[in-house]
Amino acid sequence: MSRRIALVDVNAFFCSCERVFQPRYEGVPLVVLSNNDGCVVARSAEVKALGLPMGMPWFQMKDQARQHGIVAFSSNYTLYGDLSARCMRVLGQFVPPEDQEVYSIDESFLDFTHQRRLDLTATGQAMRARVRQWTGLPVCVGIGPTKTLAKLANHIAKKRPEWNGVCDLTTAGGATIDTTMAGIEVREVWGVGRRIATRMLPMGIRTVSDLRAADPRRMREHFGMVMERTVRELQGVACLELEDMQPKKQIIASRAFGTPVYSMQELAESIREYMGRAVRKLRLQGGQAGVVGAWIETNRFREQDAQYSPSASIKLAVSSDDIATLTHAAMALVRGIYRPGYRYVKSGVMLLDLTDKQTQQGDLFSAVIPAKDARREKLLGTMDRANARWGRNTLGIGSAGLQLRPAWAMQRGNLSPAFTTRWADLPVIRH
């Protein structure tokens, strides 16, 4: 039975999120900046039309911004995460839970294979309309017999106005598909990119049509098994299944500082905050960590600075999800690797050897008293609920529970309000 896979992708996701509650920016060229307002990580269609590249440092773009009226926003992760979750819930209404894969913050695969009577073009338009009405986000839909072809169809739906935002390759004629693929550069194929496309040029592969016609075994010899699967998927042979949301195998929390840090005290503040963030993710998936890692970094791009970027890890005697235990381990690691006199620009923590808490391995020599263990779990549960209700860092370990903004905090000078998650930022309608 031929598969029917749809990929729904939000157009210019970060920029679209900024426009949902600020419609005055519809049609205005927008960019969203990376941490500390460093470089461009998202561009609206208007900015792409100006030819300004992704990753361009903001300070280099300011002259063009003034010339073309480009508006810049700092990354508002709270807003983006909430709108992403809402969008994915809306899309989940069209298929059973097992037939949806949330691929990224702005993309979701949907499997319609078992809904044979559905008109997928009409369904795609219905998804676009409902997501737009319920979340304010614009999406395009690509449909194909494989995940790779669905990705390609989504690209076509975005770039070719005649498809009206929905491209269904499962019903398109062979001549139409061939003509369309012949007009798309091979670098647009999922998993190819600019670098591999350059390596394919001497082989005479310039377009998607060329890659589709290639011998999969020959492509495996030159580029590996993943490329063989890509070619077979372009030929309509399904090699990639929808994936369930698996628990993370490792959890990392890290961020560059807004200003350089020199003291152990400031490094300790960042480690406590990052560990709080990592433990929240760990407990949310019902896991526990057996290994804790931590690192600190200087700026390798400042050749005039002394360089020192150490890391360390420790295996716990007993796996844990206790924020106090994990923070204590990370703090011990950072104290051991810290050296004064360096200009630190980043720190981070990592939780490894993650296992399901429900299948915890006991320890014969350090058994926990059940009553004490229950009280501790109740305390941790209270912290979870408080942070979920009133925002992260409402309760934390040491300085991580303080609401004062540290000097090293990430700089976000163009941050939009958290329209959906903070009472004080709720939009007000006046009439």
Side-chain angles (χ1 to χ4, degrees):
M1 181 168 57
S2 177
R3 299 177 70 193
R4 308 204 306 169
I5 306 295
L7 176 67
V8 186
D9 184 11
V10 182
N11 303 340
F13 177 64
F14 287 178
C15 295
S16 295
C17 288
E18 297 293 350
R19 287 170 167 166
V20 169
F21 294 96
Q22 303 178 91
R24 63 183 179 277
Y25 292 119
E26 289 288 347
V28 175
L30 295 183
V31 295
V32 175
L33 306 177
S34 63
N35 293 347
N36 297 311
D37 294 344
C39 59
V40 174
V41 295
R43 303 165 296 163
S44 68
E46 295 79 10
V47 174
K48 293 177 184 178
L50 294 173
L52 299 177
M54 185 79 82
M56 186 175 184
W58 173 236
F59 75 89
Q60 294 181 5
M61 189 186 284
K62 288 187 176 179
D63 288 341
Q64 292 100 318
R66 284 189 290 268
Q67 178 183 355
H68 300 289
I70 299 173
V71 177
F73 286 100
S74 304
S75 295
N76 190 336
Y77 302 115
T78 303
L79 177 65
Y80 307 155
D82 186 55
L83 286 179
S84 171
R86 296 182 185 204
C87 178
M88 299 309 165
R89 285 197 297 269
V90 173
L91 294 175
Q93 297 174 356
F94 289 86
V95 292
E98 63 271 16
D99 289 339
Q100 180 181 22
E101 175 191 341
V102 178
Y103 179 69
S104 67
I105 193 171
D106 61 343
E107 295 175 287
S108 182
F109 285 104
L110 305 173
D111 190 347
F112 289 98
T113 302
H114 300 289
Q115 301 184 51
R116 307 302 298 182
R117 296 184 180 181
L118 277 184
D119 180 332
L120 292 188
T121 298
T123 302
Q125 293 295 351
M127 288 191 288
R128 295 186 71 217
R130 190 178 300 180
V131 171
R132 183 70 167 183
Q133 182 179 6
W134 290 16
T135 70
L137 297 171
V139 302
C140 283
V141 182
I143 304 162
T146 68
K147 292 176 74 173
T148 302
L149 285 172
K151 266 274 201 179
L152 183 66
N154 187 277
H155 171 81
I156 296 169
K158 283 185 175 182
K159 300 297 183 180
R160 307 288 178 88
E162 63 267 25
W163 291 91
N164 195 25
V166 178
C167 174
D168 183 1
L169 294 181
T170 64
T171 58
T176 300
I177 293 176
D178 290 340
T179 302
T180 302
M181 289 187 175
I184 304 174
E185 295 183 21
V186 70
R187 67 181 184 181
E188 301 296 344
V189 175
W190 187 23
V192 176
R194 187 184 303 273
R195 185 173 300 178
I196 294 179
T198 301
R199 293 173 55 194
M200 288 181 174
L201 287 176
M203 303 171 68
I205 299 176
R206 292 175 172 79
T207 68
V208 178
S209 181
D210 296 333
L211 183 59
R212 187 188 187 206
D215 183 346
R217 290 169 295 183
R218 182 185 177 212
M219 300 308 294
R220 177 177 179 174
E221 292 173 359
H222 287 83
F223 301 99
M225 182 179 295
V226 173
M227 186 57 64
E228 178 187 7
R229 291 174 181 168
T230 297
V231 175
R232 293 191 186 279
E233 288 248 324
L234 286 175
Q235 295 172 348
V237 180
C239 301
L240 302 173
E241 299 295 329
L242 260 64
E243 297 179 4
D244 297 328
M245 295 298 291
Q246 298 292 331
K248 297 179 184 296
K249 297 181 179 179
Q250 65 179 22
I251 296 175
I252 298 173
S254 175
R255 188 162 289 172
F257 303 138
T259 57
V261 164
Y262 299 90
S263 70
M264 178 62 207
Q265 178 182 347
E266 290 178 302
L267 285 174
E269 290 176 354
S270 69
I271 292 298
R272 293 189 193 102
E273 180 173 325
Y274 298 159
M275 182 55 76
R277 190 184 310 158
V279 172
R280 279 192 292 275
K281 295 178 181 179
L282 177 69
R283 289 179 60 83
L284 190 62
Q285 71 178 40
Q288 57 188 3
V291 175
V292 176
W295 71 91
I296 51 181
E297 297 179 16
T298 54
N299 188 345
R300 65 182 183 276
F301 299 107
R302 283 178 57 94
E303 297 180 357
Q304 66 270 35
D305 291 351
Q307 298 297 315
Y308 180 59
S309 300
S311 62
S313 62
I314 185 173
K315 183 170 179 58
L316 303 177
V318 179
S319 296
S320 176
D321 67 342
D322 189 317
I323 187 172
T325 300
L326 299 173
T327 301
H328 178 77
M331 291 297 300
L333 293 173
V334 173
R335 290 191 184 98
I337 61 178
Y338 169 73
R339 298 290 182 272
Y342 290 95
R343 186 178 186 271
Y344 297 105
V345 298
K346 191 175 184 179
S347 69
V349 298
M350 180 183 296
L351 300 178
L352 298 163
D353 192 16
L354 306 187
T355 56
D356 187 344
K357 187 176 181 180
Q358 300 302 318
T359 58
Q360 181 172 2
Q361 177 68 42
D363 184 358
L364 179 63
F365 301 103
S366 59
V368 178
I369 301 173
K372 181 180 178 180
D373 189 45
R375 290 197 300 270
R376 187 68 180 177
E377 183 58 37
K378 187 175 181 180
L379 171 62
L380 296 174
T382 299
M383 292 182 64
D384 292 340
R385 290 189 293 274
N387 288 320
R389 182 171 182 178
W390 291 294
R392 69 185 189 190
N393 295 345
T394 299
L395 293 177
I397 298 295
S399 58
L402 299 178
Q403 299 304 304
L404 297 176
R405 178 180 172 85
W408 49 265
M410 182 173 60
Q411 302 299 311
R412 292 192 284 181
N414 302 311
L415 183 65
S416 57
F419 291 108
T420 63
T421 55
R422 187 181 299 127
W423 286 109
D425 290 350
L426 286 179
V428 177
I429 300 175
R430 295 182 174 87
H431 59 86

